[in-house]
Amino acid sequence: MSVEHAAVQRADFDQVMVPNYAPAAFIPVRGAGSRVWDQSGRELIDFAGGIAVNVLGHAHPALVGALTEQANKLWHVSNVFTNEPALRLAHKLIDATFAERVFFCNSGAEANEAAFKLARRVAFDRFGSEKYEIIAALNSFHGRTLFTVNVGGQSKYSDGFGPKITGITHVPYNDLAALKAAVSDKTCAVVLEPIQGEGGVLPAELAYLQGARELCTEHNALLVFDEVQTGMGRSGKLFAYQHYGVTPDILTSAKSLGGGFPIAAMLTTEDLAKHLVVGTHGTTYGGNPLACAVAEAVIDVINTPEVLNGVNAKHDKFKARLEQIGEKYGLFTQVRGLGLLIGCVLSDAWKGKAKDIFNAAEKEGLMILQAGPDVIRFAPSLVVEDADIDAGLDRFERAAAKLTQA
């Protein structure tokens, strides 16, 4: 049964919404696979994926089926009870990773908030009140709560909200000497993204993560990997830490975990999890049956050799074509990243102009992303069809040609 809705347009945003976003001039209304249609019926190819969220594209039948089935059973029961989808999903995440315990919540910020609280609680219980310092990387991004935005290494996001949370230090990414100089016996956690997403799609060096692991072990600190953007197959492994062979103590996941349905998770060991006893932390919607049913379908599709190997093959296809475009038009000098999290580093002539390239691509019917002002970011569906890759990059090349001829 269809329902009549009042007509709305992009101009309504400026009348009814808090102005903390500046959305594009069009409104997407329908998606299928890697294609999106706006209110006017214009078709766009989606290489943005809701900022690395729509890991299986739009309206994937396995996700639609899981959500529909669960919607006819049970929507919400609160954490006074548990539920079957949450338990099934937890088992699958544990079976596929280092983890032995899972905490479910709703967003990457909440997962990181839980991770940072756990790290401080473990240190407090085991070593006392003076061991609470957290070390993170400059240009990192860990969420928008007051705690997570302070751990994130970008002052433009954390300034202007009153006193900063104390006990947080930032050091340059991929600089092991700087990290070593900062770590002490007061450090409770080192927090790193295996690939900095918002910071420019910058992968960690193997020696850097190995060194971080050794420093944490030496100083009784916890190594926390923020895999909100890199997790759930995005890197070509289920989680990016599996590329490096470096195991964290705590891992956070969100974005792709629900394929577009809000859900997040903090994964850790039994030994650490026992410090979050009843009442120490919680969330109303975490572990929601609808979200967990969808996420279970996501992991069932993604965690297969067919899909994960396909991600690496699609990476090679993207990279080869993007390098050709970059060289031909002089827009960017480097294509970096893992799997289907790809960044194009703009050339000196185009530094600071990522938004211009974003806008030009949209005019050609292509949805892409920025990672700061100097990097163009691609985070498409992991099952994007080769024909859509070719068509989308054709549109990107047309945008590049028009920009450089202007």
Side-chain angles (χ1 to χ4, degrees):
M1 184 178 73
S2 62
V3 178
E4 290 294 325
H5 295 289
V8 290
Q9 303 295 329
R10 168 59 180 84
D12 289 294
F13 181 94
D14 302 317
Q15 302 300 317
V16 299
M17 304 293 280
V18 172
N20 59 312
Y21 301 117
F26 67 95
I27 299 181
V29 295
R30 183 171 66 89
S34 292
R35 305 272 173 154
V36 171
W37 290 264
D38 70 7
Q39 286 180 315
S40 70
R42 181 176 65 134
E43 179 205 77
L44 299 98
I45 295 175
D46 184 5
F47 284 173
I51 313 184
V53 169
N54 299 325
V55 69
L56 296 175
H58 299 272
H60 190 284
L63 276 57
V64 173
L67 180 59
T68 303
E69 180 182 351
Q70 187 60 42
N72 284 295
K73 291 181 176 179
L74 188 68
W75 281 39
H76 181 76
V77 290
S78 92
N79 286 300
V80 173
F81 310 94
T82 189
N83 65 80
E84 292 179 344
L87 297 176
R88 291 196 305 263
L89 177 60
H91 273 296
K92 289 181 178 181
L93 288 168
I94 287 169
D95 289 345
T97 68
F98 73 95
E100 298 163 333
R101 294 290 186 272
V102 179
F103 169 81
F104 288 123
C105 47
N106 312 288
S107 68
E110 290 175 72
N112 283 329
E113 185 92 11
F116 305 157
K117 285 180 70 175
L118 174 60
R120 282 192 165 177
R121 177 54 65 105
V122 169
F124 178 87
D125 289 349
R126 295 183 178 183
F127 303 102
S129 61
E130 295 303 307
K131 190 177 179 68
Y132 65 91
E133 294 179 357
I134 294 173
I135 300 173
L138 291 168
N139 294 317
S140 61
F141 186 87
H142 300 295
R144 297 282 196 160
T145 67
L146 193 59
F147 196 174
T148 59
V149 82
N150 276 274
V151 175
Q154 301 187 58
S155 59
K156 65 183 179 181
Y157 294 136
S158 59
D159 288 349
F161 297 101
K164 299 289 181 75
I165 292 176
T166 58
I168 300 168
T169 301
H170 297 100
V171 294
Y173 190 68
N174 271 334
D175 186 336
L176 186 56
L179 181 60
K180 186 173 184 178
V183 173
S184 73
D185 288 337
K186 290 187 175 182
T187 304
C188 75
V190 173
V191 180
L192 296 171
E193 299 162 274
I195 306 171
Q196 283 197 332
E198 298 294 323
V201 192
L202 181 61
E205 296 166 1
L206 175 59
Y208 178 63
L209 294 189
Q210 289 174 332
R213 175 69 277 173
E214 292 169 3
L215 286 168
C216 285
T217 301
E218 178 184 350
H219 290 276
N220 291 309
L222 302 183
L223 180 60
V224 180
F225 279 172
D226 177 340
E227 292 227 35
V228 168
Q229 192 159 162
T230 56
M232 296 305 294
R234 176 65 53 188
S235 69
K237 300 281 190 182
L238 188 63
F239 289 100
Y241 83 88
Q242 294 164 332
H243 278 282
Y244 293 92
V246 176
T247 303
D249 299 294
I250 304 171
L251 180 146
T252 57
S253 177
K255 285 190 178 287
S256 294
L257 180 59
F261 202 102
I263 184 172
M266 177 190 72
L267 292 84
T268 190
T269 64
E270 178 184 6
D271 186 50
L272 298 175
K274 66 186 181 185
H275 289 269
L276 285 187
V277 299
V278 173
T280 53
H281 192 56
T283 166
T284 294
Y285 289 106
N288 173 271
L290 293 169
C292 290
V294 174
E296 184 185 7
V298 171
I299 195 171
D300 284 347
V301 173
I302 289 174
N303 197 27
T304 60
E306 178 186 12
V307 171
L308 294 176
N309 291 339
V311 169
N312 294 311
K314 293 175 194 300
H315 169 91
D316 294 341
K317 188 175 182 66
F318 263 99
K319 186 174 182 181
R321 181 76 185 280
L322 286 169
E323 286 178 341
Q324 290 176 354
I325 293 170
E327 185 175 351
K328 183 175 181 180
Y329 299 96
L331 280 180
F332 40 86
T333 57
Q334 182 186 7
V335 179
R336 66 191 184 197
L338 287 174
L340 288 175
L341 181 59
I342 298 170
C344 299
V345 183
L346 300 186
S347 62
D348 289 342
W350 286 89
K351 280 197 183 307
K353 297 180 179 179
K355 185 68 172 178
D356 294 341
I357 300 171
F358 171 95
N359 290 334
E362 185 263 309
K363 289 178 182 177
E364 297 299 321
L366 178 67
M367 299 162 70
I368 59 173
L369 297 164
Q370 300 173 235
D374 301 328
V375 178
I376 294 296
R377 176 173 33 166
F378 296 84
S381 161
L382 303 191
V383 294
V384 56
E385 295 181 3
D386 286 351
D388 286 340
I389 297 175
D390 291 336
L393 291 176
D394 285 346
R395 296 181 187 192
F396 187 63
E397 182 163 1
R398 287 199 296 272
K402 289 181 179 179
L403 275 172
T404 53
Q405 290 168 6

